Amino acid sequence: MTVQILEELDSVIQLKPDYVFLLIGTNDLKATLSQEEYDRYASLWKLKDPVTEDSFVRNLNLIIERIQKNTKAKIIVSSPPVLGEDPKSIPFLRSKRFAELTKDVCAKQKVSYIPLHETLTKELELLPNLPKKAYLQSTWSMYWTILKYYSTTSSWNDLGESNGYYFLTDAIHLNERGGKIFEQMILETLLSP
């Protein structure tokens, strides 16, 4: 969550990095989906304030401003990935909204922006026969997928497919297909003037 990044940012600043990549927002947006999701994060990370679009934007701005003020690093911010792969579902639409908010912050702060959400959305549109499975809150599914990865010969792609996803493993995290897309976008950003 952005609030944790703010708490740990000094350790990044002390490294005097040349580049800082930020891929954040998924946990913030998940905390806005339901009271149950928020309560889980509030308990886990001792959150004091509600998570909202405004708090996300405020924290993202603070993160970027602190990095700009205290380092000479080039800051590159990615939109959060899709949440589930059903573009009509509420979680997917929330992830789209947080991608829009991220893009707006990057434009105002004049930092590089990687449109990961938008790219994955377009890629999903190119696969019309692919079943579009929505995100459903299930911490168990995430841990079960991780356990299967480390206890079998299944790849992240295999596990994503067994869970009903093409670019994700568990409705949240990228598999190898999604990771390759993101990797290519990072390389293009690094190689551009």
Side-chain angles (χ1 to χ4, degrees):
M1 301 203 72
T2 52
V3 71
Q4 274 89 26
I5 292 172
L6 279 167
E7 291 169 1
E8 298 297 324
L9 202 51
D10 286 341
S11 61
V12 174
I13 289 168
Q14 289 173 1
L15 295 171
K16 299 182 182 349
D18 293 323
Y19 294 91
V20 174
F21 287 88
L22 296 172
L23 172 59
I24 56 177
T26 298
N27 289 338
D28 291 74
L29 78 89
K30 284 178 61 197
T32 70
L33 287 174
S34 69
Q35 189 64 45
E36 179 187 356
E37 290 257 17
Y38 171 78
D39 289 345
R40 191 168 63 79
Y41 285 114
S43 171
L44 184 65
W45 289 318
K46 314 265 187 286
L47 299 179
K48 296 175 185 90
D49 299 312
V51 179
T52 64
E53 290 182 10
D54 289 340
S55 70
F56 170 72
V57 168
R58 182 176 55 253
N59 290 344
L60 182 55
N61 273 304
L62 286 170
I63 291 164
I64 292 170
E65 288 165 6
R66 280 183 56 198
I67 295 168
Q68 287 173 328
K69 180 181 176 187
N70 295 293
T71 76
K72 294 180 180 174
K74 179 176 180 177
I75 302 168
I76 302 160
V77 183
S78 172
S79 59
V82 295
L83 189 57
E85 294 182 348
D86 178 359
K88 295 177 184 167
S89 69
I90 290 172
F92 191 101
L93 294 171
R94 291 296 298 148
S95 65
K96 179 181 177 188
R97 175 68 181 140
F98 273 68
E100 292 164 352
L101 294 169
T102 302
K103 184 176 182 179
D104 290 346
V105 168
C106 290
K108 288 176 185 160
Q109 293 283 357
K110 296 180 174 51
V111 297
S112 296
Y113 175 73
I114 295 178
L116 177 60
H117 190 284
E118 298 88 333
T119 302
L120 291 173
T121 299
K122 285 180 188 171
E123 291 293 325
L124 285 168
E125 290 169 359
L126 296 174
L127 302 164
N129 297 326
L130 191 69
K132 305 292 194 272
K133 186 172 177 185
Y135 164 82
L136 296 172
Q137 194 279 321
S138 172
T139 306
W140 172 246
S141 174
M142 177 182 68
Y143 290 121
W144 182 244
T145 300
I146 293 167
L147 177 66
K148 286 195 288 188
Y149 179 78
Y150 288 105
S151 63
T152 69
T153 59
S154 297
S155 70
W156 290 116
N157 286 344
D158 295 336
L159 295 168
E161 287 173 16
S162 72
N163 289 332
Y165 300 105
Y166 190 74
F167 292 115
L168 305 172
T169 59
D170 55 8
I172 305 166
H173 301 98
L174 298 173
N175 63 17
E176 290 131 347
R177 281 186 207 97
K180 286 285 184 195
I181 289 170
F182 189 41
E183 176 186 40
Q184 187 60 39
M185 297 174 84
I186 290 171
L187 290 173
E188 287 171 7
T189 302
L190 286 172
L191 296 174
S192 67

